[in-house]
Amino acid sequence: MNPHQQSFIEQLKQLQSVAQNKYGIEIATEKFINDDNYRDLVLSELGLLGDSELNSVIEALKQPNPEIAPLPERPAQGSKNSLALMLAGTSVAIALFVAGYLMFTGQSSDVQQPVEKGVKIPVTEQVITAQAKTAVTSPKAPQAQLAFRIHGSNTIGEKLAPALLEGYLREQGAEDFQWQQGNVVVERELHYQLNDKPYYIELHAHGSSTGFADILSANADVAMASRKVKEKEVTNLKPQFGDFSQVGNEHIIGLDGLAVIVNQNNPISHLTTQQLADVFSGKISNWRDLGGSSAPINIYARDAKSGTWDTFKNLVLKKHNASLSDAAQRFESSSELSQLVSQDEFGIGFIGLNYIVHNKAIAVSEGQQTAPIYPTRFTIGTEDYALSRRLYLYTPTTADMFVKNFAHYAISFSGQEIVADTGLISQNIHVEQVKAPNTAPALYKQYADQGERLSLTFRFQYGSGQLDNKGKRDLQRLLAYLEEYPQKRVVLMGFSDNSGDNNKNQSLSTQRALSVATELNARGIPVFDTQGFGEVLPVANNDSEQGRERNRRVEVWVL
């Protein structure tokens, strides 16, 4: 045997080995060598598998050989059907297998009649042919199974919920994510593979109220809300789905806030929420009425589909029974709105924190009794800033573990990192030096000068030292932080609303600080000092339940 023949035989053996080991295909040695048509068609059909290891051997076997008839070039992809109809003997089995394999892997193959009548196939080839027929006639891929349905707030459903869902599913080992659009813009499905099975999650974002209504009607498993559940909703849901006011069912997943911006040359530095409502409704239309120059106020607002608009509408306009002025210019793009305000000395708009850019963000207060506060991620995180609000997920007590684990993931450190990545405010703890207001008590100023404030603030139910649901979760976050920084000395400073007399409020604020200290001490965390300051330094108006709730708080400082 000359070197050319030896090389050809070795390449053939390699081809046989790969075809047999990877695909269970047997190639007849003598027929491959002696039958040009058989050899050509075997190489062509195996080439359709797209296997790189096979292809390298196929190309070598196609090289001209002085002892072996020259092999033709591989036929074009469009010739699959005609090739299959030409095959006989062992090549029939290969064609059948390839056809089945291509169909199974989703590649194009229209082979309809690969076996000619009267052709005899050896037993081993019959087995392969049977396998190929099974692949060709196999049923469609199994239908995706519904994992759960999450309905409600568009603010959450637009970006945050999709990001949290993908993050959670990745932790579970899911892959092959595909979002499919529904009949309307705010309806989508997330399809994915988990443990080699197809699933999907239904996401509908028609508004907060629809989440609770859909759970009540058994059309949803998780409710998204950019507001707290209402008492009536709690009452309706409780008999069948559990108490949605309790920490096991209510999950605060992040905070939302926005900035009110004016041109950098505008002398106005702060406004109340009432003044903002009057400006954006058109009731106040000239800057001189706010202490500025005599010039008309030009209003810039986000479009009606925007989550930023939804936040502003709820925190400013609805709060003061106002509606947006018809003279307002509406924008789909945050960047465009920000740019136009920066070019208009008499413009005013509202925007996400990331889009302030060349403008000036003004401080906002909830009334004459409260200090104006500038919008930062820290002041929104502490909920001291007026234009901040909580975002929620609500799950029934009867929810399965997959749903409960998703809600837990959303409030975990990893989930909160995703919250920050989407432009909302994470509840993961940050530390910042904060200057005390001039009206603060002397001891408060002393601790503010010496220490730093943490970005979480504990808040309480009316008339008690009982933490609200966010406070109960924040306690776990504080414990984790102090375990990481054991050298930090903790100072807890409590405050109350103005309901009742001053002495009672002073006592109640001290009691609240002590209640947090007790929780920390019980877990091995010492507290350096606790103080109660009563109703001083309100961060919100006391003329509404929401304002009073924000004023009932314990600030956490570290030295």
Side-chain angles (χ1 to χ4, degrees), residues 4 60 75 102 115 269 379 414 498 549:
H4 294 293
L102 292 176
V115 183
S269 60
T379 60
S414 297
N498 69 351
E549 183 178 354

Side-chain angles (χ1 to χ4, degrees), residues 476-544:
Q476 302 303 315
R477 296 186 179 99
L478 179 58
L479 289 170
Y481 172 82
L482 293 175
E483 287 173 357
E484 186 176 356
Y485 300 98
Q487 75 280 9
K488 299 286 188 181
R489 294 177 295 167
V490 180
V491 176
L492 302 172
M493 296 195 276
F495 299 86
S496 71
D497 60 35
N498 69 351
S499 302
D501 64 65
N502 185 59
N503 290 335
K504 177 185 176 182
N505 290 335
Q506 181 78 27
S507 174
L508 194 55
S509 65
T510 302
Q511 176 189 335
R512 286 169 178 153
L514 288 171
S515 70
V516 177
T518 300
E519 296 287 351
L520 294 176
N521 291 336
R523 292 163 175 80
I525 304 294
V527 174
F528 181 75
D529 193 14
T530 57
Q531 294 291 331
F533 296 103
E535 61 194 61
V536 303
L537 301 182
V539 295
N541 281 345
N542 282 302
D543 56 5
S544 70

Side-chain angles (χ1 to χ4, degrees), residues 279-283 299 323-330:
V279 167
F280 280 87
S281 66
K283 186 176 180 179
I299 302 172
S323 300
L324 185 66
S325 168
D326 292 337
Q329 299 180 59
R330 309 296 294 271

Side-chain angles (χ1 to χ4, degrees), residues 447-497:
Y447 278 130
D449 290 341
Q450 295 175 357
E452 298 172 305
R453 186 177 170 187
L454 301 191
S455 60
L456 61 81
T457 298
F458 292 103
R459 286 186 162 82
F460 297 80
Q461 298 176 10
Y462 173 70
S464 76
Q466 183 71 30
L467 288 170
D468 69 3
N469 289 341
K470 185 177 186 302
K472 293 171 185 175
R473 304 285 191 186
D474 281 343
L475 183 62
Q476 302 303 315
R477 296 186 179 99
L478 179 58
L479 289 170
Y481 172 82
L482 293 175
E483 287 173 357
E484 186 176 356
Y485 300 98
Q487 75 280 9
K488 299 286 188 181
R489 294 177 295 167
V490 180
V491 176
L492 302 172
M493 296 195 276
F495 299 86
S496 71
D497 60 35

